[in-house]
Amino acid sequence: MKSEWVDRDVRATIDRYGQQGFGADLAQRIYTTRLLGRERSLVLHGGGNTSVKIVMNDLLGEQVEVLCVKGSGGDMATIEPAGLPAVRLDRLRKLRKRDALSDPDMVRIQRENLLDPSAPNPSVETLLHAFLPHKFIDHTHATAVLSLVDQPDGPLICAELYGNRMGLVPYVMPGFALAKQAAEIFALRPKVEGLILLKHGIFTFGDTAREAYERMILMVTLAEGRLTLNRKSVFVAGKIAQQLAPLSEVAPILRGACSLKDEKTEGAWRRQILDFRNSPAVLNYVNGEELARYGRAGVATPDHTIRTKNWPLITPAPLESSRVPNK
Ligand SMILES: [Zn+2]
């Protein structure tokens, strides 16, 4: 993976947002957030988040230190300043003294401290950004990193690969507990360039937008390199029928089998819409002899869980004799 940072584009972004009254830090935050968001092996739509700590005027015109952090569910690839709601930083930092904080209370406190009361909800990972001291923080669910840390010996692999450069955070559901744990792990090794969150993703940080972004690219590139070591192909071609029934005959059967009775309305059914794909990559995946094993291994990242769900329906390969004659 290569850095897509281009000085000319950065200057143009700073000019464009400057004309709208936004500072250079926020403009660069937008710029690298978009770079990360358009790389699908880092995040899919809605996944990941970024932040910057700056000073802004509140509604009374008073200067206040804020965390501009991505709104929950927003798309990094097309983000605008409104997609990075500003939250009062000193108020968020005070929460670190607490022992526990429920998700509903956390969301209410975050909303209470928005500079603009009509802004979207800040990300569920807002407190993690707030508890770390860095000006720029980037977070993705990079497929390459997760392919390493989802393995049973993931922590060992990461320790070997990153040494003292990255902190390792055990899995905790996103929210207050994760934010607090990540901040404690960072405090033990304040020279790290980022944090690997086991079974979740990767954070990198820096004093500048470029530093945080290029650390992300570097750490993911190291993971990509590690994945190619000792890699074994899991693909062994299964037996494929020479003549397959046309899709128009198969699809209604599948659709019927996947329909569920709507318990709330008598006689109604909840039906699925099918989307048929047979690209070379898809065929390579479904034609494997061990599809049932690797197809049920679960997806790599939280973004994939949202997009594709974790478990596929696997139907048996068609038999030659089951071919329905064309009428
Ligand atoms: Zn995340």
Side-chain angles (χ1 to χ4, degrees):
M1 184 169 291
K2 293 217 161 42
S3 169
E4 301 281 331
W5 179 281
V6 177
D7 281 331
R8 189 181 59 246
D9 294 348
V10 180
R11 282 195 298 273
T13 308
I14 292 173
D15 285 350
R16 187 162 75 249
Y17 287 106
Q19 285 163 14
Q20 298 173 31
F22 298 107
D25 284 335
L26 191 60
Q28 290 182 73
R29 179 66 290 172
I30 300 275
Y31 176 74
T32 55
T33 301
R34 288 182 174 187
L35 291 187
L36 295 169
R38 71 188 191 200
E39 177 50 64
R40 299 182 85 188
S41 64
L42 292 176
V43 284
L44 296 178
H45 185 288
N49 45 62
T50 59
S51 69
V52 60
K53 298 178 179 81
I54 53 175
V55 173
M56 282 175 95
N57 283 341
D58 68 10
L59 293 177
L60 298 180
E62 289 175 5
Q63 292 211 318
V64 49
E65 196 185 1
V66 293
L67 175 79
C68 292
V69 62
K70 198 197 82 168
S72 190
D75 182 14
M76 285 169 66
T78 56
I79 200 149
E80 292 286 347
L84 289 157
V87 200
R88 290 174 191 275
L89 189 53
D90 64 331
R91 302 270 297 166
L92 295 179
R93 282 182 171 149
K94 275 186 189 165
L95 293 171
R96 208 179 147 184
K97 292 200 196 90
R98 297 212 185 179
D99 292 327
L101 182 66
S102 71
D103 282 352
D105 283 350
M106 181 180 76
V107 171
R108 283 191 327 144
I109 292 169
Q110 287 175 182
R111 280 212 70 78
E112 185 203 17
N113 289 289
L114 284 167
L115 245 53
D116 175 356
S118 63
N121 271 343
S123 158
V124 67
E125 281 152 350
T126 292
L127 291 181
L128 206 162
H129 290 259
F131 292 170
L132 292 170
H134 314 82
K135 188 171 177 79
F136 289 88
I137 300 181
D138 296 7
H139 169 49
T140 70
H141 302 140
T143 311
V145 172
L146 282 154
S147 300
L148 294 179
V149 301
D150 286 352
Q151 298 181 40
D153 54 351
L156 198 66
I157 295 172
C158 282
E160 277 171 20
L161 183 64
Y162 295 119
N164 291 325
R165 300 182 75 174
M166 299 290 281
L168 276 189
V169 182
Y171 182 76
V172 181
M173 281 277 283
F176 176 77
L178 173 62
K180 205 163 159 159
Q181 179 169 270
E184 281 162 8
I185 286 169
F186 170 75
L188 294 174
R189 290 164 62 194
K191 290 208 172 113
V192 293
E193 296 161 55
L195 299 170
I196 301 285
L197 275 58
L198 297 178
K199 299 187 168 59
H200 176 159
I202 169 171
F203 278 79
T204 53
F205 22 75
D207 295 333
T208 64
R210 184 171 193 169
E211 185 176 46
Y213 166 71
E214 291 192 336
R215 281 176 171 173
M216 176 66 71
I217 300 300
L218 172 68
M219 299 307 168
V220 173
T221 304
L222 288 173
E224 286 174 336
R226 179 62 178 72
L227 281 172
T228 61
L229 280 185
N230 309 322
R231 177 176 255 177
K232 293 186 203 99
S233 173
V234 297
F235 184 77
V236 180
K239 275 202 188 109
I240 313 290
Q242 288 304 303
Q243 285 200 306
L244 299 173
L247 187 65
S248 56
E249 288 171 13
V250 177
I253 298 169
L254 276 181
R255 189 162 183 256
C258 294
S259 296
L260 296 169
K261 237 184 173 155
D262 186 344
E263 300 298 343
K264 290 189 189 133
T265 316
E266 199 184 347
W269 287 80
R270 287 163 51 208
R271 301 186 203 280
Q272 312 284 331
I273 293 173
L274 303 188
D275 178 18
F276 182 71
R277 300 183 195 186
N278 60 348
S279 67
V282 168
L283 287 178
N284 190 48
Y285 185 84
V286 301
N287 289 342
E289 195 178 62
E290 292 189 60
L291 172 66
R293 179 184 63 77
Y294 59 73
R296 289 176 189 151
V299 293
T301 84
D303 295 356
H304 293 142
T305 311
I306 294 168
R307 293 291 139 197
T308 68
K309 309 301 176 201
N310 220 9
W311 316 114
L313 166 71
I314 299 175
T315 59
L319 299 172
E320 214 64 70
S321 58
S322 70
R323 168 87 170 83
V324 182
N326 273 334
K327 295 202 174 119

